[in-house]
Amino acid sequence: MKNYNKVKFPLKLKSVLIIIVLSAVLCTVSILMSALRFSQTNEINFKNQASDLALTASFTVDGDAMKAVRDKIFEVLETIPEDEVVLSDDWGSDEFNAQLEKFSSITDMPEFKKIHEQLSKTQTAGISTLSSIYSLDYYFEHSRPYALYLVDAAEDDPCLPGVIDSAEEADWEHARKHEAMTPYITNYAEYGWLVSATAPVYDSNGEYVGVIAVDLDMNEIKANESSFIFSLAAVLVAITVAICIITLIIIDFAVIRPLNKLSDVAVGYINENEQRKKFSDVEMKRSDEIGNLSGAMVKMEKDIENYISDITSITGEKERISAELNIATKIQADMLPKDFPANDRVELFAAMTPAKEVGGDFYDFFFIDDDHLALVMADVSGKGVPAALFCVVAKAVLRDKAMLGGDPAKILYDVNNILCGNNGAGLFITVWLGILDLKTGIVTYCNAGHEYPVIGVRGRSVEVIQKDNYPPLAASEDMEFSVETLQLKNGDNLFLYTDGVPEAKSADGSRFGMDRLVKVLERTEGKSPEQIVTTLKNEVDAFQPENDPFDDVTIMSVVWKGRS
């Protein structure tokens, strides 16, 4: 038997693991969402600040001066063959420096100085996150567009006129449309995190002359983001741990401990621990599911105790009845004659197997005088004790009336009226009664609703004698019967049986039937009555389920051996 005390994975441990996992997932999701939200908010603020700063600067610079600088730079650029243009990717090379030298005079232009001064005021206005502010425009006359730096207000390493970058399509498309570019964020190894924005500049005639570009430094805020995320994670972890501990304590006291009490009592029942507590000892007066469970277990315990008490009483009664039935079975078996005649005139053998402890079939045989042997085969309707009791009465009355003399028809007439007068249960009985004259082999018989007898003619065939069959006894008073006769020859076998033989049912529902019965008798021709009865009984037992016989089985075989 399984030992229910050994719990490999207790509910408390499951609760701890589930809460830890759920808390970890919740904490991780909260940290990620908070970090994402914080980062998105910072980026939006920086993009708006960069856009506003670029737009403000675009209104403060002199558009005419910026146009003059731009035109001069374009003029110089047009003197340089396209295949000799050096991009900023080659910063510091001799070719790059030589190219800058061609644009060096531009820095002396009054317009350049004016724009530089205007942008420098914004650069030094105290905006801590401002990395650089500069003006640029795009040159579209070559096979590919260029981004040309006009004026850069950066204090350290500014981009001088003549610094040329390759232009991305997204950038110069905005320039073609003379509109501000949507702010964007970059992360370069050289500069770190930057947010960039542009705003178009127009001259006094309203013509587009270039853009003001602003780069804001996000390195510090990104560092703050990391610090914030770590701090937030620490706080959330601490809060989650505290919530876990509090939740576990609540669950332990409110759920797990009460369930463990109920479980211990239940396990005590399973393990048959005589010192176990009862559910009533740990009953919990609570208005929740555990309270309902506890109340249900207490009621179940009381019901089980009552049931056990009833079962104990019923078992004792059944044992008493079983003992009495065993005695009844023995009494019924002892009622049936066992001193089978076996002499030079007749040999007889019979057997009765009840479907239940006691049966409703019986056979009988007795000598009326030295030369006449009475043979009885009967079957009471129903099975069990009522049928067995009716058998006792019928057997006794039949023997008494037969011993007084008379033919089988007169005997059955008298027996029928007696049984009808004492039949409050409404039972009836089929009877085959025959009287064998041992001198002549003539059988005088009468059949009251019973199975037809079978004659096995010695050395020849087996024949079922299908003659008049009257209603069973105890069905109606004053019934008249007629006598039939059979002539047995030396060695002929008169075979009698109850309906439990042909109506025996197999597991698949088929019947044993008369054909099988006849074949068994043909196969046992010449055998002794005991061998014939035993063979047929074994055939029937093998045909039907062992523990579920269909009906009582009673068989008799009588062999007349001729005149003495």
Side-chain angles (χ1 to χ4, degrees), residues 406-410 443-447 468 470 481-485:
D407 60 47
K410 179 63 171 62
V443 180
T444 305
Y445 73 92
C446 188
N447 191 345
D468 289 344
Y470 294 92
F481 301 90
S482 296
V483 172
E484 301 287 347
T485 60

Side-chain angles (χ1 to χ4, degrees), residues 451-521:
E451 304 295 318
Y452 293 118
V454 178
I455 292 181
V457 179
R458 182 179 181 182
R460 288 188 293 166
S461 61
V462 174
E463 179 183 0
V464 179
I465 308 301
Q466 298 185 6
K467 293 189 176 181
D468 289 344
N469 198 334
Y470 294 92
L473 305 185
S476 177
E477 291 183 325
D478 298 325
M479 284 194 301
E480 296 290 341
F481 301 90
S482 296
V483 172
E484 301 287 347
T485 60
L486 291 173
Q487 176 63 63
L488 299 181
K489 296 182 180 181
N490 185 18
D492 286 352
N493 172 29
L494 174 62
F495 187 80
L496 305 174
Y497 56 94
T498 58
D499 59 0
V501 176
E503 294 184 4
K505 188 185 294 185
S506 67
D508 62 6
S510 61
R511 302 285 185 176
F512 189 81
M514 289 299 298
D515 290 342
R516 285 190 176 88
L517 188 153
V518 169
K519 288 179 179 178
V520 172
L521 295 180

Side-chain angles (χ1 to χ4, degrees), residues 349-484:
F349 190 82
M352 194 276 283
T353 304
K356 295 187 176 180
E357 287 82 355
V358 289
D361 290 1
F362 73 88
Y363 68 84
D364 199 4
F365 60 87
F366 48 89
F367 286 94
I368 297 174
D369 55 40
D370 291 342
D371 295 324
H372 293 87
L373 174 65
L375 305 172
V376 180
M377 183 64 65
D379 183 2
V380 178
S381 59
K383 296 184 281 292
V385 174
L389 294 176
F390 200 72
C391 278
V392 173
V393 175
K395 181 176 180 295
V397 174
L398 271 167
R399 178 172 284 225
D400 288 344
K401 289 297 179 181
M403 292 301 294
L404 292 177
D407 60 47
K410 179 63 171 62
I411 295 171
L412 291 186
Y413 177 85
D414 294 339
V415 172
N416 176 64
N417 287 337
I418 292 173
L419 294 179
C420 286
N422 297 277
N423 189 18
L427 299 174
F428 63 85
I429 179 172
T430 66
V431 177
W432 189 94
L433 170 63
I435 299 175
L436 171 63
D437 188 329
L438 298 177
K439 290 182 178 181
T440 64
I442 296 175
V443 180
T444 305
Y445 73 92
C446 188
N447 191 345
H450 199 73
E451 304 295 318
Y452 293 118
V454 178
I455 292 181
V457 179
R458 182 179 181 182
R460 288 188 293 166
S461 61
V462 174
E463 179 183 0
V464 179
I465 308 301
Q466 298 185 6
K467 293 189 176 181
D468 289 344
N469 198 334
Y470 294 92
L473 305 185
S476 177
E477 291 183 325
D478 298 325
M479 284 194 301
E480 296 290 341
F481 301 90
S482 296
V483 172
E484 301 287 347

Side-chain angles (χ1 to χ4, degrees), residues 22-68:
L22 291 179
S23 299
V25 171
L26 180 61
C27 183
T28 302
V29 171
S30 299
I31 291 171
L32 292 176
M33 292 183 65
S34 299
L36 180 61
R37 182 61 179 169
F38 184 71
S39 178
Q40 289 177 341
T41 301
N42 286 334
E43 290 178 0
I44 291 172
N45 289 337
F46 265 74
K47 287 179 180 180
N48 291 338
Q49 184 180 359
S51 294
D52 292 343
L53 189 56
L55 185 60
T56 301
S58 70
F59 285 115
T60 60
V61 299
D62 187 333
D64 293 331
M66 185 169 167
K67 180 177 182 300

Side-chain angles (χ1 to χ4, degrees), residues 258-275:
L259 288 179
N260 282 340
K261 291 181 180 180
L262 295 176
S263 174
D264 291 341
V265 177
V267 169
Y269 272 99
I270 297 297
N271 293 336
E272 300 179 356
N273 184 358
E274 296 182 356
Q275 298 180 347

